[in-house]
């Protein structure tokens, strides 16, 4: 028997669905049926489906349903309904997300309208949980009970969320839009990474309002939000938000999805001009400055039950109400309850009450557990719960004398794991389990890292550290702002592809917000060992009272990268095929599920791999000097220079076949353009003679120092480079521009009248790089005809050029057998 069916479930209280919402659901149902019947193409239905919070999975024929939970507030009654739906229509598991939503996976499209109706009966919706809309409005899960808060932001978050839901202003934005509210300086809701972040503040005269920042975001181009208003009065809160959305709606890039978030509008305009546009939009939308009238708030009833605690004692190890808990391993003689209460229980600002966190492993909770937690919320509290941005659930307003009874009940259903919201509570997105964009198994890696960070037993020196894992660069797990952040990529090695993770170190939001530095790319199977080494290094070399984030900042990327280079080395498939399987993967890792149009990414990978190869050569050069093998060390230094120089030449569409061609090309295309210091001109002369068998230790060290400096200069140049592959000249270098090379193939014209660029025989991604460089020399509106091979070139290059914003006018075969194609591209200014 199904375990949920065997439970005695309290009757769920429902309400009639408002006519407008019922009509909305019926409209979705009609379109879904048309799609299932083949009348409506799936691609046409997709934007409509996303608007309703229904997301396609990587598995064909099933959907992910995302339920919006504004500020994380959900009642026991609503949670029971979610449990029922997860059991009836999905996998029997709900997934709490980093935006405080709850997701269900593997839902058939035909069942979605029924789910929508049953959610609406209890006041829940999926509307605008996906698509180019204002997504779920998030807030700190301790809002209203936190000792350190300025004021409770709950009613403001709720008011903004429901004001924007189904709002015409919000229905067709250039890209998704995210808003967060925090009530104290710890900024638990992470306002700096949002399109709009609102932090509670109080003026000297006692008037409350919000500090408003805008333009934050993660993904492949992370940005920290900038200050728009130091103080936003309550009566101006919604007008201020609407004006920001209006500017974004008007000026956002609708042609290039990769440049569509609001942070790119600010990049293009400059912040002062963006602010001026915001002020103009504020007035144009009919709001006076300042607007008269108070803000009509939606209240959230969250008072405690009328229970008088029998005692007012503190819970052992309970935090200070700011969300701080002691992450140390205690005195070594803790009972399981003492460990759990130390890590999972926070004292509220209201005497006699605490908040208890239920740690959900990577956000997952079964339907049976949801029903049980709903019962506990009513038994020990007021029937309200909150989801957290760290993918957990909390029960607030628990009397202090009842906390051990609550723990015992949680234990009976496997819900009493310690370490909630601490370093061992690793955040991971669904990754390749269900997400169509996932590259690696982020959940699989999180389970592997559980041995590095054992729950409830992580030493005190890692207090305040967090670990976040995203299965791709989109940063759904927010890896850019964690102490230790990882995002999945693939790396081709010969005939095989190995799953890898880019390691980002030193990100944070508390205090001054900071994006973590991408330090090194690690094979997935080496990540636990590499992280363990990083922690060992910290404990060996830290200064007095220095935590891990400060250690990372002080030591710096270069030293940490050098320490981690040994973990980047991947054995051949023949030597160890396990490196070519993802964590928990039963089949060899592949990337063919990814869509076309990633030529720019492929070129960036070539550059990154070249720099990594140089780092690995330098690592061996250092070891060889220590072993007194000086001649071989010099050869490794030479190879490091060669690898980095080749990597730089990818930006020019060049693949030199000899060392001499590499050095000549680097000098002409890179060094003489001022991209690197003039020290690195005439490389072939400066690297020196490798034939000497009498190389001294001093000479070997000099060669290695030169090579290390050269590789760092190349890295610095590529770090400033975006997906457009453009390298910038150093400001201090005032050098003459070398003459442009003579085109070896003369441009010809055929029926299109455009010059022809023959790239038959040129493989990906170099065919894209060469086309991009050719277009850069043309004026906007000019056209270029490009000839490409069948297969990967014609599949990828046109899509990549469209992603860059150019117009694709023609795509057709050059001959009947279709072994070669031509495309006609019109240049569009970026």
């Amino acid at each position: 028997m199904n375990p949920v069916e065997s439970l005695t479930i309290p009757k769920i209280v429902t309400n009639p669905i408002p006519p407008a919402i019922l009509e909305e659901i019926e409209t979705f149902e009609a379109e879904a049926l048309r799609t299932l019947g083949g009348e409506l193409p799936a691609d046409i239905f997709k934007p409509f489906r996303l608007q309703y919070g229904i997301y396609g999975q990587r598995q064909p024929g099933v959907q992910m349903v995302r339920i919006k939970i504004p500020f994380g507030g959900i009642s026991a009654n609503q949670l029971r309904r979610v449990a029922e739906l997860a059991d009836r229509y999905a996998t029997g598991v709900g997934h709490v997300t980093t935006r405080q939503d709850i997701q269900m996976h593997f839902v058939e499209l035909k069942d979605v309208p029924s789910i929508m109706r049953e959610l609406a009966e209890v006041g829940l919706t999926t509307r605008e949980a996906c698509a180019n809309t204002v997504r779920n409005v998030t807030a700190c899960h301790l809002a209203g009970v936190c000792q350190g808060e300025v004021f409770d932001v709950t009613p403001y978050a709720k008011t903004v969320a429901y004001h924007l839901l189904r709002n015409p202003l919000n229905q067709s934005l250039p890209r998704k839009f995210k808003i967060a509210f925090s009530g104290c300086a710890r900024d638990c809701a992470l306002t700096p990474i949002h399109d709009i972040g609102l932090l509670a503040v109080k003026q000297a005269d006692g008037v409350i309002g919000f500090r408003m920042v805008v333009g934050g975001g993660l993904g492949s181009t992370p940005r920290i939000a900038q200050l728009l208003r130091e103080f936003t009065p309550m009566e101006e809160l919604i007008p201020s938000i609407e004006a920001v959305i209006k500017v974004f709606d008007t000026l956002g890039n609708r042609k290039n999805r990769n440049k569509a978030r609001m942070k790119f509008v600010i990049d293009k305009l400059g912040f002062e001009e963006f602010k001026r546009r915001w002020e103009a939009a504020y007035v144009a939308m009919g709001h006076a400055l300042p607007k008269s009238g108070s803000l009509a708030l939606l209240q959230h009833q969250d008072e405690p039950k009328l229970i008088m605690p029998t005692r007012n004692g503190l819970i052992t190890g309970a935090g200070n109400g700011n969300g701080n808990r002691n992450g140390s391993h205690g005195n070594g003689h803790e009972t399981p309850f003492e460990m759990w209460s130390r890590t999972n229980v926070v004292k509220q600002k209201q005497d006699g009450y605490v908040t208890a966190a239920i740690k959900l492993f990577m956000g997952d909770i079964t339907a049976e557990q949801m029903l049980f937690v709903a019962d506990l919320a009513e038994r020990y509290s007021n029937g309200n719960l909150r989801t957290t941005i760290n993918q957990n659930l909390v029960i607030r307003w628990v009397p202090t004398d009842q906390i051990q009874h609550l723990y015992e009940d949680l234990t009976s259903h496997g819900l009493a794991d310690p370490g909630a919201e601490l370093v061992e509570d690793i955040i991971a997105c669904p990754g390749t389990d269900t997400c169509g964009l996932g590259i690696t198994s982020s959940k699989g890696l999180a389970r592997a890292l559980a041995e590095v960070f054992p729950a409830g037993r992580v030493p005190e020196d890692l207090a305040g550290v967090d670990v976040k894992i995203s299965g791709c660069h989109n940063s759904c797990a927010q890896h850019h702002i964690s102490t230790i952040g990882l995002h999945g990529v693939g790396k081709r090695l010969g005939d095989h592809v190995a799953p890898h993770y880019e390691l980002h170190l030193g990100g944070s939001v508390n205090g001054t917000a900071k994006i973590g530095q991408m330090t090194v790319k690690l094979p997935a199977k080496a990540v636990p060992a590499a992280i363990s080494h990083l922690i060992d290094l910290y404990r060996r070399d830290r200064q007095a009272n220095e935590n891990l984030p400060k250690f990372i900042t002080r030591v710096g990327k270069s030293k940490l990268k050098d320490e981690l280079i040994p973990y980047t080395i991947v054995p051949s498939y023949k030597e160890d095929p396990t490196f070519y399987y993802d964590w928990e993967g039963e089949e060899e890792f592949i990337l063919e599920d990814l869509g076309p149009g990633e030529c720019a990414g492929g070129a960036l990978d070539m550059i990154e791999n070249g720099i990594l190869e140089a780092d690995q050569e330098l690592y061996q050069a250092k070891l060889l000097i220590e072993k007194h093998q000086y001649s071989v060390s010099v050869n490794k230094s030479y190879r490091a220079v060669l690898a980095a120089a080749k990597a730089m030449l990818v930006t020019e569409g060049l693949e030199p076949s000899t060392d001499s061609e590499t050095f000549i090309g680097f000098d002409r295309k890179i060094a003489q353009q001022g991209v690197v210091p003039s020290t690195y001109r005439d490389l072939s002369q400066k690297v020196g003679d490798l034939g000497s068998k009498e190389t001294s230790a001093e000479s070997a060290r000099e060669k290695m120092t030169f090579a290390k400096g050269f590789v760092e200069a190349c890295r610095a140049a590529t770090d400033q480079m975006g997906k457009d592959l453009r390298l910038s000249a150093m400001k201090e270098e005032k050098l003459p521009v070398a003459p442009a090379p003579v085109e070896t193939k003369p441009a010809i014209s055929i029926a299109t009248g455009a010059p022809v660029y023959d790239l038959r025989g040129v493989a990906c991604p170099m065919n894209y790089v060469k086309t991009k460089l050719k277009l850069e020399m043309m004026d906007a509106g000019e056209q270029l005809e490009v000839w490409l091979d069948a297969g990967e070139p014609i599949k990828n290059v046109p899509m990549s050029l469209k992603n860059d914003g150019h117009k694709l006018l023609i795509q057709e075969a050059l001959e009947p057998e279709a072994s070669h194609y031509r495309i006609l591209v019109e240049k569009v200014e970026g």
Side-chain angles (χ1 to χ4, degrees):
M1 179 182 289
N2 187 310
V4 172
E5 292 177 351
S6 66
L7 296 174
T8 302
I9 304 171
K11 181 176 175 59
I12 294 174
V13 179
T14 62
N15 293 299
I17 303 173
I21 294 177
L22 188 59
E23 182 182 359
E24 174 183 290
I25 296 171
E26 289 171 349
T27 300
F28 180 90
E29 184 172 39
E31 296 307 297
L33 290 173
R34 288 181 62 206
T35 302
L36 290 171
E39 298 176 45
L40 183 68
D43 287 345
I44 301 298
F45 179 61
K46 179 180 177 180
F48 181 80
R49 166 173 57 78
L50 290 171
Q51 196 86 7
Y52 282 77
I54 313 303
Y55 203 93
Q57 293 186 192
R58 68 190 299 124
Q59 297 85 0
V62 290
Q63 315 294 321
M64 178 267 282
V65 174
R66 181 178 290 160
I67 306 166
K68 250 185 172 178
I69 314 291
F71 63 89
I74 188 169
S75 69
N77 187 61
Q78 290 171 326
L79 189 61
R80 289 190 183 102
R81 176 50 56 90
V82 174
E84 280 189 345
L85 298 176
D87 183 64
R88 189 183 311 148
Y89 297 114
T91 59
V93 175
H95 175 74
V96 177
T97 76
T98 56
R99 292 212 65 74
Q100 298 178 289
D101 296 314
I102 297 178
Q103 294 178 176
M104 298 182 293
H105 295 88
F106 293 93
V107 175
E108 293 188 46
L109 183 58
K110 68 180 178 61
D111 294 326
V112 170
S114 297
I115 291 174
M116 289 178 170
R117 287 189 182 92
E118 294 184 57
L119 288 173
E121 288 176 343
V122 295
L124 292 174
T125 185
T126 62
R127 179 71 189 245
E128 294 153 35
C130 305
N132 299 330
T133 61
V134 174
R135 302 290 184 87
N136 195 42
V137 175
T138 58
C140 175
H141 61 276
L142 293 175
V145 300
C146 172
Q147 284 191 349
E149 71 183 4
V150 178
F151 60 85
D152 182 7
V153 301
T154 301
Y156 302 95
K158 183 174 183 178
T159 300
V160 168
Y162 284 99
H163 174 78
L164 294 174
L165 182 65
R166 301 183 176 90
N167 191 314
L169 181 64
N170 170 41
Q171 298 310 298
S172 186
L173 298 175
R175 197 70 174 85
K176 58 189 174 183
F177 197 92
K178 299 180 179 180
I179 301 174
F181 284 79
S182 278
C184 74
R186 279 182 57 80
D187 202 352
C188 299
L190 311 177
T191 60
I193 64 166
H194 285 77
D195 293 285
I196 296 179
L198 295 147
L199 185 67
V201 291
K202 181 185 290 185
Q203 292 185 319
D205 59 4
V207 176
I208 60 173
F210 289 98
R211 184 178 188 269
M212 185 176 188
V213 295
V214 298
L218 299 179
S220 60
T221 313
R223 295 281 189 279
I224 295 298
Q226 300 182 60
L227 180 63
L228 183 68
R229 300 192 74 176
E230 190 67 55
F231 184 81
T232 307
M234 292 309 184
E235 64 272 16
E236 298 177 20
L237 176 61
I238 285 181
S240 295
I241 291 171
E242 285 186 338
V244 172
I245 295 173
K246 183 64 176 176
V247 173
F248 175 51
D249 187 43
T250 304
L251 299 178
N253 189 334
R254 297 179 186 272
K255 294 180 180 179
N256 186 350
R257 180 179 173 84
N258 297 321
K259 294 286 183 73
R261 290 292 299 274
M262 193 174 74
K263 58 191 175 184
F264 295 110
V265 175
I266 294 174
D267 284 351
K268 186 172 182 178
L269 292 178
F271 192 73
E272 288 306 311
E273 176 62 16
F274 176 86
K275 187 173 182 179
R276 189 190 70 77
R277 301 286 186 107
W278 167 78
E279 290 171 346
Y282 191 107
V283 174
M285 295 175 76
H287 305 303
L289 283 173
K291 182 187 177 188
S292 59
S294 60
L295 177 63
L297 286 176
L298 297 178
Q299 297 300 324
H300 180 67
Q301 300 304 316
D302 193 33
E303 292 74 26
K305 294 172 71 172
L306 295 177
I307 299 174
M308 291 299 294
T310 57
R311 57 187 170 86
N312 212 16
L314 297 180
I315 301 303
T316 303
N320 60 13
N322 250 344
N324 291 330
R325 274 148 295 179
N326 189 347
S328 70
H329 48 67
N331 57 20
H333 304 288
E334 287 181 309
T335 65
F337 166 67
E338 288 170 338
M339 181 186 295
W340 176 83
S341 63
R342 170 174 55 79
T343 63
N344 290 40
V345 179
V346 177
K347 186 178 182 294
Q348 295 184 187
K349 66 181 180 182
Q350 297 87 1
D351 286 342
Y353 294 96
V354 294
T355 293
I358 302 171
K359 182 183 175 187
L360 307 178
F361 189 65
M362 289 178 288
D364 290 343
I365 181 170
T366 67
E368 184 181 4
Q369 289 174 328
M370 281 189 264
L371 293 171
F372 184 65
V373 168
D375 290 346
L376 296 183
E378 291 180 337
R379 185 183 312 162
Y380 291 101
S381 183
N382 58 8
N384 287 337
L385 302 106
R386 301 250 179 144
T387 56
T388 84
I389 64 169
N390 288 323
Q391 301 179 289
N392 295 314
L393 278 167
V394 298
I395 302 177
R396 299 137 55 100
W397 297 106
V398 180
T400 57
D401 66 331
Q402 297 295 307
I403 195 67
Q404 185 155 0
H405 299 304
L406 172 62
Y407 168 76
E408 290 166 357
D409 281 336
L410 288 170
T411 300
S412 71
H413 279 66
L415 290 168
D417 287 344
E421 308 280 310
L422 300 176
V423 61
E424 56 263 52
D425 194 2
I426 296 170
I427 308 302
C429 71
T432 50
D433 285 10
T434 55
C435 180
L437 300 176
I439 296 174
T440 55
S441 175
S442 39
K443 284 188 171 184
L445 176 58
R447 281 185 275 268
L449 286 175
E451 295 184 12
V452 181
F453 303 102
R457 293 181 171 83
V458 177
E460 185 176 358
D461 60 0
L462 295 182
V465 169
D466 54 359
V467 180
K468 300 176 186 284
I469 309 170
S470 299
C472 73
H473 69 266
N474 285 312
S475 200
C476 293
Q478 303 167 340
H479 63 269
H480 288 104
I481 53 162
S482 60
T483 315
I484 299 171
L486 296 143
H487 90 258
V489 295
K491 182 176 178 181
R492 182 168 293 281
L493 298 164
D495 294 331
H496 302 273
V497 179
H500 276 64
Y501 283 87
E502 292 191 357
L503 174 64
H504 301 251
L505 295 176
S508 67
V509 167
N510 294 340
T512 303
K514 181 182 176 184
I515 299 294
Q517 282 194 304
M518 206 296 279
T519 303
V520 74
K521 187 184 291 187
L522 299 163
K525 291 299 176 68
V527 170
I531 299 303
S532 295
H533 180 71
L534 174 68
I535 294 169
D536 290 343
L537 179 69
Y538 158 62
R539 289 174 177 151
R540 186 191 76 193
D541 295 347
R542 65 188 172 192
Q543 297 177 349
N545 302 316
E546 186 175 49
N547 61 22
L548 181 58
K550 290 181 179 177
F551 171 81
I552 289 170
T553 299
R554 176 177 62 82
V555 173
K557 173 180 174 178
S558 180
K559 172 75 182 299
L560 295 173
K561 174 183 63 62
D562 288 347
E563 286 284 345
L564 294 171
I565 283 295
Y567 299 93
T568 67
I569 298 170
V570 183
S572 69
Y573 186 84
K574 184 177 181 180
E575 291 172 322
D576 189 349
T578 63
F579 274 76
Y580 300 83
Y581 286 72
D582 207 347
W583 284 103
E584 303 178 357
E586 297 180 355
E587 298 179 353
E588 186 179 343
F589 183 78
I590 57 174
L591 282 178
E592 61 185 36
D593 285 341
L594 298 181
E598 290 299 323
C599 293
L604 288 170
D605 283 345
M606 288 180 68
I607 296 167
E608 284 184 16
N609 292 340
I611 299 294
L612 176 60
E613 181 185 342
D615 286 333
Q616 292 171 340
E617 297 285 7
L618 284 171
Y619 168 72
Q620 294 184 60
K622 179 182 176 184
L623 291 182
L624 288 164
I625 288 176
E626 293 171 356
K627 295 178 181 179
H628 310 293
Q629 298 181 34
Y630 304 127
S631 296
V632 185
S633 171
V634 169
N635 182 270
K636 292 296 181 184
S637 295
Y638 173 87
R639 293 293 161 195
V641 172
L642 187 66
K646 283 185 174 181
M648 296 289 281
L649 288 175
V650 171
T651 65
E652 296 294 328
L654 298 178
E655 289 184 286
S657 55
T658 67
D659 295 3
S660 175
E661 287 179 5
T662 301
F663 293 137
I664 292 171
F666 182 88
D667 194 51
R668 186 180 69 189
K669 292 283 190 177
I670 307 295
Q672 290 188 29
Q673 309 310 311
V675 173
V676 295
S678 54
T679 309
Y680 302 113
R681 291 196 199 173
D682 301 322
L683 274 182
S684 55
Q685 297 180 21
K686 293 182 178 177
V687 169
D689 180 17
L690 299 175
S692 173
K693 299 184 183 298
E694 304 298 327
T695 306
S696 65
E698 182 180 0
S699 174
R701 288 193 182 94
E702 285 178 359
K703 299 291 186 187
M704 186 180 71
T705 300
F706 176 87
K708 188 174 180 64
F710 176 77
V711 173
E712 288 302 323
C714 293
R715 189 194 325 280
T718 57
D719 281 349
Q720 302 300 316
M721 178 185 69
K723 286 189 176 182
D724 58 4
L725 307 182
R726 292 180 181 175
L727 295 171
S728 301
M730 299 175 65
K731 290 183 179 179
E732 67 271 19
E733 295 283 328
K734 304 292 185 180
L735 301 170
V737 178
V742 177
E743 182 68 46
T744 55
K745 295 180 180 178
I748 61 173
S749 293
I750 55 175
T752 63
V756 172
Y757 198 20
D758 187 353
L759 294 178
R760 291 174 296 180
V762 180
C764 293
M766 297 307 292
N767 45 22
Y768 160 74
V769 176
K770 290 176 179 289
T771 304
K772 182 190 74 66
L773 293 170
K774 179 73 72 174
L775 287 167
E776 285 180 2
M777 294 185 289
M778 299 169 64
D779 294 329
E782 288 188 326
Q783 296 177 357
L784 176 68
E785 182 173 326
V786 184
W787 293 0
L788 298 164
D789 292 333
E792 292 298 309
I794 193 61
K795 177 182 176 184
N796 288 322
V797 174
M799 184 64 71
S800 294
L801 294 173
K802 287 174 69 176
N803 288 344
D804 289 343
H806 301 300
K807 292 181 181 179
L808 187 65
L809 305 178
I810 295 175
Q811 179 174 323
E812 62 186 14
L814 278 172
E815 61 277 302
E817 58 269 24
S819 56
H820 303 98
Y821 286 76
R822 70 170 182 167
I823 61 173
L824 183 64
V825 185
E826 182 177 310
K827 178 174 179 176
V828 176
E829 286 295 349

